[in-house]
Amino acid sequence: MDVAPIPSPASAPNPSWFTPKRLLFIFCVINLINYVDRGAIASNGVNGSRKTCSKNGQCSPGSGIQGDFNLNNFEDGVVSSAFMVGLLVASPIFASLTNRVNPFRLIGIGLLVWTIAIGGCGFSQNFWSIAICRMLVGVGEASFISLAAPFIDDNAPPAKKTLWLGAFYMCIPTGIAVGYVYGGLVGNYNWRLAFWVEAVLMLPFVILGFVMKPLQLKGFSPVGSEKALTSVENGSENQGGERSTREAIADQSLKPRSADASDTCIVTRFLKDMKILLLEKVFVVNVLGYIAYNFVVGAYSYWGPKAGYNIYHMKNADYTFGGITVVCGILGSLAGGFVLDYMTSTISNAFKLLSLATLFGAIFCFAAFCFKSLVVYVILFAIGELLVFATQAPVNFVCLHCVTPNLRPLSMAMSTVAIHLFGDVPSSPLVGLLQDHLNNWRVTALILTSILFLAAGIWFTGILLRSVDRFNEESENPVTTTIDKSNTTPLHEVKTTETA
């Protein structure tokens, strides 16, 4: 394959419009839409309520999904968590496919599945149809959840990596909170409309994922002769049309292999990578703390408006709870990233921030539910949420930097699988069962909040572990079909020469 000469630095082409900041912006909007959907399905407008009957036999009609399909609290919790099933199954699959398919294209495929499934939610007719559609929503989201953070980590300025992650994960509480308000407003007309609008909003990003020249992740290089956008833009190919030793090695690696050998290689590599990941104590401790944390936050996000409505008789629980979460989610997530960058982004410092922020966040949230005054509750809970959301950037920084670059997609995928499988997947229906048994939302909320103390304790043990930042380490068995390191150059770096 002939390689065109590289322009001199003076005549090098201008960078593409797809700059690191625009990459961050696009990924933030996609993440926001994902979590708007989660907030909308939990809102009183979309979720609704069951039909109720008084002792004298007078019945009021139900509303939303729960009313239309006559769901009890447990079934309602299952609808909320159903998309997690697809997410859990598909996340490791998408992470493994990065060995064979360009990661950027995988995001486009996932978003297409998400868009179709969300549209299907609007057409569902009963409990099973909407539950299946929600599972497919999780399948679609899996590729984005596993791969977006590594792309951001590659392209963020070195001194602002955690701040950029904070901006990305800020969209989680913000999206959920906006979803509460959005679901409350649209649900007043037709809850099905909420899903159809979400599908339309995501469609442009689906198209972008397929038509734009794909980026490449650090630790991976293009399949075949396809060159990553970063390589072309930065002029990192060899001068004079000469073939490099790396390209010669690439040609050897591209020789056809049998399907059986290829499949065996994928399975073997996956099992080996999983063994490496599970033997990494830093990763395991980080995820265990994240599971306990997500158990609480997941239940908060789903049952929060309903609990607030019943405990404090909020007339507009969706708007009140959503407003608090938006402000605290934005400020807390950004503050967590900023503070860790200021402290110097190390794994040890990340664990210090995780344990302290969660401990004090738990204290304030627990105290908030002890007061009967709505004003005191709002003030204390807002401070608690601010501290709790400060963990978003540090916890994901640890997941990305405790492993070598080629293991980051699998690290993010398995972290996602674990925190949902043992965290917010069971928390929504279990809290629903607990409330059905206690019939006291204040006690239920206090029991749930106490689990945050466990999360703080687990993350504290991470400080005592020997930790190494492996971001710049090379894997013993790199997942590449060509050993061209220019393809791992982030967008923000302008590289004009390369040593063969």
Side-chain angles (χ1 to χ4, degrees):
M1 180 182 66
D2 294 333
V3 181
I6 179 176
S8 64
S11 62
N14 292 327
S16 164
W17 69 272
F18 199 60
T19 61
K21 289 184 178 179
R22 286 172 180 161
L23 171 73
L24 176 64
F25 175 78
I26 290 171
F27 279 4
C28 283
V29 174
I30 294 172
N31 208 26
L32 189 71
I33 296 173
N34 278 332
Y35 282 90
V36 163
D37 171 66
R38 299 194 194 182
I41 200 171
S43 69
N44 288 329
V46 172
N47 179 259
S49 58
R50 298 180 69 187
K51 177 178 67 174
T52 57
C53 297
S54 61
K55 293 181 179 180
N56 58 13
Q58 293 182 342
C59 297
S60 60
S63 62
I65 296 171
Q66 194 174 20
D68 282 4
F69 300 155
N70 193 30
L71 308 180
N72 57 38
N73 283 338
F74 178 75
E75 291 172 328
D76 196 24
V78 169
V79 169
S80 165
S81 300
F83 84 98
M84 298 292 187
V85 176
L87 188 68
L88 303 182
V89 173
S91 289
I93 294 175
F94 276 113
S96 298
L97 285 175
T98 54
N99 302 346
R100 313 282 299 175
V101 183
N102 181 277
F104 199 82
R105 288 289 184 255
L106 287 177
I107 291 178
I109 294 170
L111 295 181
L112 175 62
V113 175
W114 189 95
T115 303
I116 295 172
I118 282 291
C121 289
F123 290 103
S124 58
Q125 298 299 314
N126 52 44
F127 168 75
W128 285 109
S129 61
I130 194 169
I132 291 171
C133 285
R134 296 305 297 175
M135 290 179 192
L136 292 175
V137 168
V139 172
E141 188 177 329
S143 65
F144 183 74
I145 292 297
S146 302
L147 299 170
F151 273 115
I152 293 172
D153 194 46
D154 276 356
N155 293 286
K160 296 182 179 179
K161 282 184 178 291
T162 323
L163 180 61
W164 279 40
L165 287 174
F168 177 72
Y169 286 104
M170 167 192 75
C171 298
I172 294 178
T174 304
I176 291 173
V178 171
Y180 291 151
V181 178
Y182 163 74
L185 291 173
V186 178
N188 290 329
Y189 299 95
N190 188 335
W191 63 266
R192 298 178 187 275
L193 182 63
F195 296 116
W196 295 331
V197 171
E198 290 168 15
V200 172
L201 291 176
M202 187 65 81
L203 188 59
F205 300 103
V206 175
I207 297 173
L208 184 66
F210 283 101
V211 303
M212 203 196 81
K213 196 167 186 178
L215 299 178
Q216 195 64 41
L217 278 178
K218 179 180 176 69
F220 299 82
S221 54
V223 176
S225 61
E226 182 184 17
K227 295 296 182 183
L229 176 62
T230 52
S231 174
V232 175
E233 288 176 354
N234 294 327
S236 56
E237 296 177 357
N238 289 342
Q239 298 187 29
E242 296 180 359
R243 292 165 54 87
S244 68
T245 303
R246 287 182 292 273
E247 289 179 341
I249 296 173
D251 289 343
Q252 294 297 320
S253 68
L254 293 175
K255 289 182 177 180
R257 292 180 297 177
S258 67
D260 290 342
S262 178
D263 292 342
T264 302
C265 180
I266 293 175
V267 174
T268 302
R269 183 181 294 278
F270 174 76
L271 295 176
K272 183 175 181 179
D273 289 346
M274 279 297 302
K275 182 179 179 180
I276 295 172
L277 196 62
L278 294 177
L279 289 176
E280 177 57 63
K281 294 179 181 178
V282 172
F283 173 81
V284 172
V285 168
N286 186 54
V287 171
L288 287 176
Y290 206 3
I291 288 171
Y293 167 92
N294 213 52
F295 187 96
V296 178
V297 174
Y300 272 173
S301 66
Y302 190 74
W303 294 112
K306 192 164 289 188
Y309 177 81
N310 285 276
I311 297 173
Y312 296 102
H313 307 291
M314 298 180 187
K315 293 182 179 179
N316 296 303
D318 285 344
Y319 308 146
T320 302
F321 198 83
I324 294 173
T325 305
V326 163
V327 175
C328 296
I330 292 174
L331 296 179
S333 299
L334 291 177
F338 177 81
V339 170
L340 185 54
D341 283 332
Y342 181 80
M343 294 169 64
T344 303
S345 299
T346 65
I347 293 175
S348 178
N349 284 342
F351 276 126
K352 292 174 185 176
L353 183 57
L354 286 170
S355 57
L356 288 175
T358 306
L359 174 62
F360 286 102
I363 292 172
F364 277 98
C365 288
F366 191 90
F369 287 109
C370 293
F371 287 89
K372 295 183 179 181
S373 169
L374 175 60
V375 175
V376 175
Y377 162 78
V378 169
I379 294 172
L380 293 178
F381 192 74
I383 296 173
E385 275 205 326
L386 188 71
L387 291 164
V388 166
F389 286 128
T391 62
Q392 289 295 316
V395 72
N396 288 285
F397 174 87
V398 175
C399 279
L400 290 168
H401 286 254
C402 70
V403 297
T404 51
N406 66 297
L407 286 179
R408 290 180 304 167
L410 184 62
S411 175
M412 296 303 298
M414 298 315 299
S415 171
T416 301
V417 167
I419 65 174
H420 292 316
L421 181 62
F422 303 107
D424 52 5
V425 166
S427 70
S428 291
L430 286 177
V431 169
L433 284 175
L434 180 63
Q435 172 57 24
D436 285 341
H437 177 70
L438 296 177
N439 196 28
N440 187 322
W441 276 110
R442 189 186 301 276
V443 175
T444 299
L446 288 171
I447 293 173
L448 175 65
T449 304
S450 63
I451 299 175
L452 284 175
F453 292 104
L454 174 62
I458 294 172
W459 277 328
F460 179 79
T461 63
I463 302 172
L464 308 177
L465 296 176
R466 180 182 178 275
S467 57
V468 178
D469 191 323
R470 304 186 185 279
F471 178 76
N472 290 315
E473 290 187 12
E474 296 293 337
S475 172
E476 294 181 2
N477 297 288
V479 183
T480 56
T481 55
T482 177
I483 312 174
D484 188 352
K485 293 183 180 180
S486 67
N487 290 313
T488 66
T489 303
L491 287 173
H492 71 276
E493 292 183 7
V494 179
K495 185 177 180 181
T496 57
T497 61
E498 175 179 310
T499 302

